Short mmCIF file of all heavy atoms in Angstrom, two decimals:
data_model
loop_
_atom_site.label_atom_id
_atom_site.label_comp_id
_atom_site.label_asym_id
_atom_site.label_seq_id
_atom_site.Cartn_x
_atom_site.Cartn_y
_atom_site.Cartn_z
N LYS A 29 93.19 50.48 15.06
CA LYS A 29 91.82 50.22 14.46
C LYS A 29 91.70 48.73 14.21
O LYS A 29 92.42 48.11 13.52
CB LYS A 29 91.68 50.97 13.13
CG LYS A 29 91.63 52.42 13.31
CD LYS A 29 91.44 53.02 11.93
CE LYS A 29 91.38 54.56 11.94
NZ LYS A 29 91.28 55.15 10.57
N GLN A 30 90.57 48.20 14.77
CA GLN A 30 90.40 46.73 14.67
C GLN A 30 90.18 46.31 13.23
O GLN A 30 90.70 45.27 12.83
CB GLN A 30 89.22 46.31 15.54
CG GLN A 30 89.14 44.74 15.66
CD GLN A 30 88.34 44.34 16.80
OE1 GLN A 30 88.17 45.03 17.80
NE2 GLN A 30 87.71 43.10 16.74
N ASN A 31 89.50 47.13 12.43
CA ASN A 31 89.31 46.74 11.04
C ASN A 31 90.62 46.60 10.29
O ASN A 31 90.82 45.70 9.48
CB ASN A 31 88.33 47.74 10.32
CG ASN A 31 86.93 47.55 10.74
OD1 ASN A 31 86.54 46.53 11.29
ND2 ASN A 31 86.12 48.61 10.50
N THR A 32 91.48 47.58 10.52
CA THR A 32 92.79 47.53 9.89
C THR A 32 93.59 46.34 10.39
O THR A 32 94.17 45.55 9.52
CB THR A 32 93.59 48.78 10.26
OG1 THR A 32 92.83 49.91 9.76
CG2 THR A 32 95.02 48.80 9.57
N ILE A 33 93.62 46.06 11.63
CA ILE A 33 94.33 44.90 12.17
C ILE A 33 93.72 43.62 11.56
O ILE A 33 94.57 42.75 11.09
CB ILE A 33 94.14 44.77 13.71
CG1 ILE A 33 94.83 45.97 14.42
CG2 ILE A 33 94.68 43.51 14.30
CD1 ILE A 33 96.31 45.94 14.51
N CYS A 34 92.44 43.49 11.49
CA CYS A 34 91.83 42.24 10.93
C CYS A 34 92.18 42.08 9.44
O CYS A 34 92.49 41.03 9.04
CB CYS A 34 90.31 42.31 11.13
SG CYS A 34 89.90 42.09 12.87
N ARG A 35 92.17 43.20 8.69
CA ARG A 35 92.55 43.10 7.29
C ARG A 35 93.99 42.61 7.13
O ARG A 35 94.27 41.76 6.26
CB ARG A 35 92.39 44.44 6.56
CG ARG A 35 91.02 44.72 6.10
CD ARG A 35 90.94 45.89 5.12
NE ARG A 35 91.74 47.03 5.46
CZ ARG A 35 91.35 48.04 6.26
NH1 ARG A 35 90.16 47.99 6.80
NH2 ARG A 35 92.12 49.05 6.50
N ARG A 36 94.92 43.13 7.95
CA ARG A 36 96.30 42.70 7.82
C ARG A 36 96.47 41.27 8.25
O ARG A 36 97.24 40.56 7.69
CB ARG A 36 97.16 43.67 8.67
CG ARG A 36 97.08 45.12 8.25
CD ARG A 36 97.75 45.43 6.99
NE ARG A 36 97.47 46.76 6.44
CZ ARG A 36 97.98 47.88 6.80
NH1 ARG A 36 98.88 47.94 7.69
NH2 ARG A 36 97.59 49.02 6.21
N ILE A 37 95.73 40.86 9.29
CA ILE A 37 95.88 39.47 9.75
C ILE A 37 95.28 38.52 8.70
O ILE A 37 95.90 37.48 8.34
CB ILE A 37 95.06 39.26 11.04
CG1 ILE A 37 95.86 39.97 12.20
CG2 ILE A 37 94.88 37.75 11.37
CD1 ILE A 37 95.03 40.05 13.55
N GLU A 38 94.15 38.93 8.10
CA GLU A 38 93.54 38.11 7.03
C GLU A 38 94.50 38.00 5.84
O GLU A 38 94.58 36.92 5.21
CB GLU A 38 92.18 38.71 6.57
CG GLU A 38 91.12 38.52 7.59
CD GLU A 38 89.86 39.22 7.24
OE1 GLU A 38 89.84 40.06 6.29
OE2 GLU A 38 88.86 39.07 7.99
N ARG A 39 95.24 39.02 5.55
CA ARG A 39 96.21 38.95 4.45
C ARG A 39 97.27 37.97 4.74
O ARG A 39 97.66 37.14 3.91
CB ARG A 39 96.82 40.37 4.19
CG ARG A 39 97.80 40.42 3.05
CD ARG A 39 98.36 41.88 2.90
NE ARG A 39 99.30 42.01 1.90
CZ ARG A 39 100.44 41.34 1.68
NH1 ARG A 39 100.72 40.32 2.50
NH2 ARG A 39 101.30 41.64 0.74
N ARG A 40 97.81 37.99 5.96
CA ARG A 40 98.83 37.03 6.36
C ARG A 40 98.25 35.59 6.35
O ARG A 40 98.92 34.68 5.97
CB ARG A 40 99.40 37.36 7.72
CG ARG A 40 100.13 38.69 7.87
CD ARG A 40 101.33 38.84 6.99
NE ARG A 40 102.23 37.68 7.09
CZ ARG A 40 103.23 37.45 6.21
NH1 ARG A 40 103.36 38.17 5.15
NH2 ARG A 40 104.00 36.44 6.36
N MET A 41 97.05 35.46 6.79
CA MET A 41 96.44 34.13 6.80
C MET A 41 96.26 33.59 5.35
O MET A 41 96.52 32.46 5.07
CB MET A 41 95.02 34.19 7.44
CG MET A 41 95.08 34.34 8.99
SD MET A 41 93.47 34.64 9.76
CE MET A 41 92.56 33.25 9.30
N ASN A 42 95.84 34.49 4.43
CA ASN A 42 95.76 34.08 3.07
C ASN A 42 97.08 33.65 2.46
O ASN A 42 97.13 32.70 1.68
CB ASN A 42 95.12 35.22 2.24
CG ASN A 42 93.64 35.44 2.51
OD1 ASN A 42 92.94 34.48 2.93
ND2 ASN A 42 93.15 36.63 2.28
N ILE A 43 98.09 34.34 2.75
CA ILE A 43 99.46 34.01 2.27
C ILE A 43 99.83 32.58 2.69
O ILE A 43 100.41 31.81 1.88
CB ILE A 43 100.50 35.03 2.78
CG1 ILE A 43 100.36 36.36 2.07
CG2 ILE A 43 101.93 34.43 2.67
CD1 ILE A 43 101.18 37.49 2.67
N HIS A 44 99.41 32.21 3.85
CA HIS A 44 99.74 30.86 4.39
C HIS A 44 98.61 29.86 4.23
O HIS A 44 98.70 28.74 4.65
CB HIS A 44 100.08 30.94 5.89
CG HIS A 44 101.38 31.69 6.10
ND1 HIS A 44 102.61 31.34 5.69
CD2 HIS A 44 101.57 32.92 6.61
CE1 HIS A 44 103.50 32.22 6.02
NE2 HIS A 44 102.87 33.26 6.56
N GLN A 45 97.60 30.30 3.47
CA GLN A 45 96.41 29.46 3.22
C GLN A 45 95.79 28.91 4.47
O GLN A 45 95.47 27.73 4.61
CB GLN A 45 96.77 28.35 2.22
CG GLN A 45 97.24 28.95 0.90
CD GLN A 45 97.66 27.84 -0.08
OE1 GLN A 45 97.89 26.73 0.29
NE2 GLN A 45 97.79 28.27 -1.35
N ILE A 46 95.65 29.72 5.45
CA ILE A 46 95.04 29.41 6.76
C ILE A 46 93.66 30.09 6.74
O ILE A 46 93.59 31.33 6.56
CB ILE A 46 95.93 29.91 7.92
CG1 ILE A 46 97.20 29.18 7.92
CG2 ILE A 46 95.16 29.66 9.28
CD1 ILE A 46 98.21 29.72 8.95
N ASP A 47 92.61 29.35 7.00
CA ASP A 47 91.29 29.95 6.96
C ASP A 47 90.58 30.07 8.29
O ASP A 47 89.45 30.53 8.46
CB ASP A 47 90.32 29.20 5.95
CG ASP A 47 90.24 27.70 6.30
OD1 ASP A 47 90.75 27.31 7.33
OD2 ASP A 47 89.61 27.00 5.52
N ASN A 48 91.31 29.77 9.40
CA ASN A 48 90.76 29.81 10.69
C ASN A 48 91.63 30.62 11.62
O ASN A 48 92.84 30.34 11.67
CB ASN A 48 90.58 28.43 11.23
CG ASN A 48 89.97 28.35 12.60
OD1 ASN A 48 90.63 28.76 13.55
ND2 ASN A 48 88.82 27.82 12.72
N ILE A 49 91.08 31.65 12.34
CA ILE A 49 91.93 32.44 13.13
C ILE A 49 92.60 31.72 14.24
O ILE A 49 93.74 32.03 14.57
CB ILE A 49 91.06 33.69 13.69
CG1 ILE A 49 91.95 34.69 14.46
CG2 ILE A 49 89.93 33.18 14.59
CD1 ILE A 49 92.81 35.57 13.62
N SER A 50 92.00 30.75 14.79
CA SER A 50 92.59 29.92 15.84
C SER A 50 93.80 29.16 15.34
O SER A 50 94.87 29.05 16.02
CB SER A 50 91.59 28.95 16.47
OG SER A 50 90.51 29.67 17.03
N THR A 51 93.71 28.68 14.08
CA THR A 51 94.89 28.02 13.50
C THR A 51 96.02 28.97 13.25
O THR A 51 97.17 28.66 13.49
CB THR A 51 94.43 27.37 12.20
OG1 THR A 51 93.35 26.48 12.40
CG2 THR A 51 95.57 26.61 11.52
N TYR A 52 95.60 30.22 12.87
CA TYR A 52 96.65 31.25 12.68
C TYR A 52 97.37 31.58 13.95
O TYR A 52 98.57 31.76 14.03
CB TYR A 52 96.07 32.50 12.00
CG TYR A 52 97.15 33.50 11.62
CD1 TYR A 52 98.13 33.24 10.68
CD2 TYR A 52 97.19 34.71 12.28
CE1 TYR A 52 99.13 34.11 10.40
CE2 TYR A 52 98.16 35.70 11.94
CZ TYR A 52 99.14 35.33 11.01
OH TYR A 52 100.09 36.30 10.77
N VAL A 53 96.56 31.68 15.07
CA VAL A 53 97.21 31.97 16.34
C VAL A 53 98.24 30.86 16.72
O VAL A 53 99.35 31.17 17.15
CB VAL A 53 96.11 32.10 17.47
CG1 VAL A 53 96.76 32.14 18.90
CG2 VAL A 53 95.28 33.36 17.27
N ARG A 54 97.79 29.66 16.50
CA ARG A 54 98.70 28.52 16.79
C ARG A 54 99.98 28.64 15.90
O ARG A 54 101.07 28.41 16.39
CB ARG A 54 97.96 27.18 16.56
CG ARG A 54 98.58 26.03 17.25
CD ARG A 54 97.63 24.78 17.31
NE ARG A 54 96.75 24.53 16.18
CZ ARG A 54 95.47 24.78 16.22
NH1 ARG A 54 94.88 25.29 17.29
NH2 ARG A 54 94.71 24.57 15.15
N TYR A 55 99.80 28.97 14.65
CA TYR A 55 100.86 29.18 13.75
C TYR A 55 101.88 30.27 14.23
O TYR A 55 103.10 30.10 14.25
CB TYR A 55 100.41 29.52 12.30
CG TYR A 55 101.44 29.66 11.31
CD1 TYR A 55 102.20 28.53 10.83
CD2 TYR A 55 101.79 30.90 10.67
CE1 TYR A 55 103.20 28.70 9.92
CE2 TYR A 55 102.78 31.02 9.73
CZ TYR A 55 103.50 29.86 9.35
OH TYR A 55 104.45 30.06 8.42
N LEU A 56 101.32 31.36 14.74
CA LEU A 56 102.11 32.42 15.28
C LEU A 56 102.88 32.01 16.53
O LEU A 56 104.03 32.31 16.71
CB LEU A 56 101.22 33.66 15.70
CG LEU A 56 100.72 34.47 14.53
CD1 LEU A 56 99.66 35.52 15.05
CD2 LEU A 56 101.87 35.30 13.88
N GLN A 57 102.22 31.17 17.36
CA GLN A 57 102.80 30.68 18.62
C GLN A 57 104.05 29.82 18.26
O GLN A 57 104.96 29.76 19.06
CB GLN A 57 101.79 29.93 19.47
CG GLN A 57 100.77 30.80 20.02
CD GLN A 57 99.62 30.09 20.66
OE1 GLN A 57 99.24 28.96 20.24
NE2 GLN A 57 99.01 30.71 21.61
N GLU A 58 103.97 29.13 17.16
CA GLU A 58 105.08 28.20 16.76
C GLU A 58 106.08 28.86 15.84
O GLU A 58 107.12 28.18 15.42
CB GLU A 58 104.40 26.94 16.12
CG GLU A 58 103.58 26.18 17.06
CD GLU A 58 102.70 25.17 16.36
OE1 GLU A 58 102.76 25.06 15.08
OE2 GLU A 58 101.91 24.44 16.99
N ASN A 59 105.84 30.08 15.38
CA ASN A 59 106.69 30.66 14.32
C ASN A 59 107.06 32.07 14.61
O ASN A 59 106.27 33.03 14.23
CB ASN A 59 105.95 30.45 12.99
CG ASN A 59 106.77 30.80 11.78
OD1 ASN A 59 107.78 31.55 11.89
ND2 ASN A 59 106.43 30.19 10.68
N ASP A 60 108.21 32.35 15.23
CA ASP A 60 108.64 33.74 15.55
C ASP A 60 108.78 34.60 14.31
O ASP A 60 108.54 35.80 14.32
CB ASP A 60 109.92 33.67 16.35
CG ASP A 60 109.78 33.17 17.71
OD1 ASP A 60 108.63 33.03 18.22
OD2 ASP A 60 110.83 32.88 18.35
N VAL A 61 109.16 33.97 13.21
CA VAL A 61 109.33 34.71 11.91
C VAL A 61 108.04 35.31 11.47
O VAL A 61 107.94 36.41 11.03
CB VAL A 61 109.99 33.82 10.85
CG1 VAL A 61 110.02 34.50 9.49
CG2 VAL A 61 111.43 33.42 11.28
N GLU A 62 106.93 34.49 11.66
CA GLU A 62 105.57 35.00 11.21
C GLU A 62 105.18 36.16 12.15
O GLU A 62 104.55 37.08 11.65
CB GLU A 62 104.62 33.90 11.22
CG GLU A 62 103.21 34.27 10.77
CD GLU A 62 103.15 34.86 9.38
OE1 GLU A 62 104.03 34.78 8.56
OE2 GLU A 62 102.09 35.61 9.11
N VAL A 63 105.51 36.09 13.43
CA VAL A 63 105.18 37.17 14.30
C VAL A 63 105.82 38.47 13.81
O VAL A 63 105.20 39.52 13.73
CB VAL A 63 105.54 36.87 15.78
CG1 VAL A 63 105.27 38.12 16.70
CG2 VAL A 63 104.80 35.69 16.31
N GLU A 64 107.09 38.37 13.42
CA GLU A 64 107.85 39.49 12.89
C GLU A 64 107.21 39.97 11.55
O GLU A 64 107.11 41.20 11.37
CB GLU A 64 109.32 39.16 12.68
CG GLU A 64 110.17 40.28 12.27
CD GLU A 64 110.27 41.41 13.34
OE1 GLU A 64 110.22 41.11 14.51
OE2 GLU A 64 110.51 42.51 12.92
N ASN A 65 106.85 39.04 10.71
CA ASN A 65 106.15 39.48 9.43
C ASN A 65 104.85 40.13 9.69
O ASN A 65 104.55 41.04 8.97
CB ASN A 65 106.00 38.21 8.57
CG ASN A 65 107.36 37.72 8.04
OD1 ASN A 65 108.31 38.48 7.96
ND2 ASN A 65 107.41 36.46 7.68
N LEU A 66 104.08 39.67 10.57
CA LEU A 66 102.81 40.32 10.93
C LEU A 66 103.09 41.68 11.49
O LEU A 66 102.36 42.69 11.11
CB LEU A 66 101.96 39.52 11.94
CG LEU A 66 100.67 40.13 12.38
CD1 LEU A 66 99.76 40.40 11.27
CD2 LEU A 66 99.96 39.21 13.48
#
Side-chain angles (χ1 to χ4, degrees):
K29 290 183 183 177
Q30 191 162 334
N31 288 342
T32 301
I33 295 284
C34 290
R35 277 195 315 275
R36 302 286 167 83
I37 290 170
E38 286 171 355
R39 183 182 178 303
R40 295 302 307 164
M41 288 172 59
N42 288 336
I43 287 170
H44 297 291
Q45 299 177 347
I46 298 172
D47 58 5
N48 179 292
I49 187 72
S50 299
T51 304
Y52 185 65
V53 169
R54 202 166 31 257
Y55 183 68
L56 284 169
Q57 291 168 331
E58 297 168 357
N59 190 334
D60 290 347
V61 172
E62 180 60 17
V63 175
E64 185 64 29
N65 288 336
L66 177 59

